Amino acid sequence: MVEGFTPGNRSGERILFTPGPLTTSPRVKGEMLIDIGSWDADCVDLTREIREELVGLANSDEDLTCTLMQGSGSFGVEAVIGSAIPADGKILVLRNGAYGQRIEWMARALGIPHVVIEDPEDRPHSADAVGAALQSDPEITHVVCVHCETTTGLLNPLGEIAAVVEQNNRRFIVDAISTFGAYETGPGKPIDFSVGPIDHLVGSANKCIEGVPGFAFVLSRRSAIERCAGSARSLCLDLHDQWKGFETHGKFRYTPPTHVLLAFRQALLELREEGGIAGRARRYRENHDVLVEGLAELGFATFVPEPYQSWIITTFLCPEGFEFWPFYEALHDKGYIIYPGKLTEVDTFRIANIGAIDAEDIRGLVDAIREIQA
Ligand SMILES: *Cc1c(COP(=O)(O)O)cnc(C)c1O
């Protein structure tokens, strides 16, 4: 057993090995059994507590502030892209998977000038290439990068890229949706606001904080979010206006996801009980190691080269003659939900090891796979 940790589904419910929604703890689910009014002080206090706790998790000396945005993680990313780029701005999008591609599509849909560096899905972005792109195109104002590409599980070198963005005097936006809560934050850590000009970093309720789906959160430098005033290309996804609402009267502009907020506060408490991000990272890392070792014994190799592999989600190559959907259904019937692959060139499937699960759950999954393969 991991100290300070309660596994989610040990009494017959299915266990999700997916990168959000994910398995949540019994207490997180239980928090959603009450109704609260959106104008009530309860909801205002809840919202304030969550925003403060998230800023605290960033562990930064910078003056950071937090905005919650209704919707899934993508709504938070789109709010940032649509609000932070001034009318004469231009984005450099780094893309080595579906989430980078989604940011490219957002820029296109919003009519924001952009260029893309596309790298293979099994290779991290190169800070040198980013530097060269910035030097050759003075119109670029912002660089956008996904920390862990959930498409594959590949981790991009955030610190190196941030340093190059800084040297070239541009601003940096980070999609840390799949890593925030699972990779340590603060000076010298994988997520470090002081390393470079990170203006906005996006996370989501239903990933490594282990809440349920319903809102995204954006950690912003106060000076950067102030610059977003009047720049939004959308009413609902106006990051600055949403933030102003929290700062002035403590409320969401439109209907708040009340039950999701209640569950999230509990999820934050459980993160603390587990020893904060360091504790959670330890559990996820062990989950990942047990998973990769167990599946290697059964003949499944991984897609992402080891040095770039995150401990969030792992892409496995399908062996000769392997058919995914019958495999998926057989696991489903045994109580385990895994994830299809998202690559076009190679046949793969994915297993995430985040959520209220520990090594015992992973061993259960590996045993189930062994039985199916027998
Ligand atoms: C989950 C995720 C998102 C958001 O996806 P939604 O489907 O909107 O929740 C964005 N980026 C990354 C890297 C993610 O893992």
Side-chain angles (χ1 to χ4, degrees), residues 19 72-75 77 99 102 146 148 150 175 177-178 206-207:
S72 74
S74 302
F75 291 68
V77 178
Y99 292 96
R102 191 173 296 175
V146 176
C148 168
T150 318
D175 169 351
I177 291 177
S178 59
N206 62 283
K207 303 255 170 153

Side-chain angles (χ1 to χ4, degrees), residues 159-231:
E160 289 169 29
I161 297 169
V164 164
V165 176
E166 170 105 272
Q167 281 156 24
N168 286 276
N169 208 15
R170 315 297 168 87
R171 308 305 303 175
F172 197 26
I173 293 169
V174 177
D175 169 351
I177 291 177
S178 59
T179 47
F180 193 79
Y183 278 83
E184 284 192 75
T185 49
K189 305 293 186 193
I191 300 177
D192 180 357
F193 268 86
S194 61
V195 74
I198 299 180
D199 273 352
H200 308 279
L201 180 140
V202 188
S204 159
N206 62 283
K207 303 255 170 153
C208 301
I209 311 278
E210 300 185 1
V212 302
F215 68 88
F217 54 85
V218 185
L219 290 164
S220 307
R221 268 172 216 265
R222 193 174 296 274
S223 56
I225 201 161
E226 282 168 350
R227 283 196 302 273
C228 296
S231 297

Side-chain angles (χ1 to χ4, degrees), residues 40-196:
D40 199 82
D42 282 353
C43 191
V44 172
D45 290 347
L46 174 62
T47 305
R48 192 193 56 248
E49 276 174 49
I50 288 173
R51 292 178 61 227
E52 284 174 4
E53 185 78 12
L54 287 171
V55 168
L57 281 179
N59 185 25
S60 173
D61 291 336
E62 310 294 327
D63 186 7
L64 301 184
T65 184
C66 178
T67 310
L68 311 181
M69 182 60 80
Q70 297 97 327
S72 74
S74 302
F75 291 68
V77 178
E78 188 157 325
V80 170
I81 301 297
S83 306
I85 317 300
D88 58 355
K90 181 173 181 177
I91 316 175
L92 170 61
V93 181
L94 308 184
R95 166 179 165 185
N96 52 1
Y99 292 96
Q101 181 182 49
R102 191 173 296 175
I103 293 168
E104 182 187 347
W105 288 348
M106 286 172 186
R108 192 186 304 156
L110 294 166
I112 299 173
H114 60 282
V115 285
V116 180
I117 294 181
E118 188 176 349
D119 287 311
E121 286 169 313
D122 59 354
R123 200 169 322 142
H125 299 303
S126 134
D128 289 345
V130 173
L134 294 179
Q135 273 157 27
S136 73
D137 188 346
E139 288 183 358
I140 296 170
T141 52
H142 292 74
V143 178
V144 191
C145 180
V146 176
H147 186 202
C148 168
E149 235 326 329
T150 318
T151 317
T152 50
L154 178 139
L155 216 48
N156 283 307
L158 221 48
E160 289 169 29
I161 297 169
V164 164
V165 176
E166 170 105 272
Q167 281 156 24
N168 286 276
N169 208 15
R170 315 297 168 87
R171 308 305 303 175
F172 197 26
I173 293 169
V174 177
D175 169 351
I177 291 177
S178 59
T179 47
F180 193 79
Y183 278 83
E184 284 192 75
T185 49
K189 305 293 186 193
I191 300 177
D192 180 357
F193 268 86
S194 61
V195 74

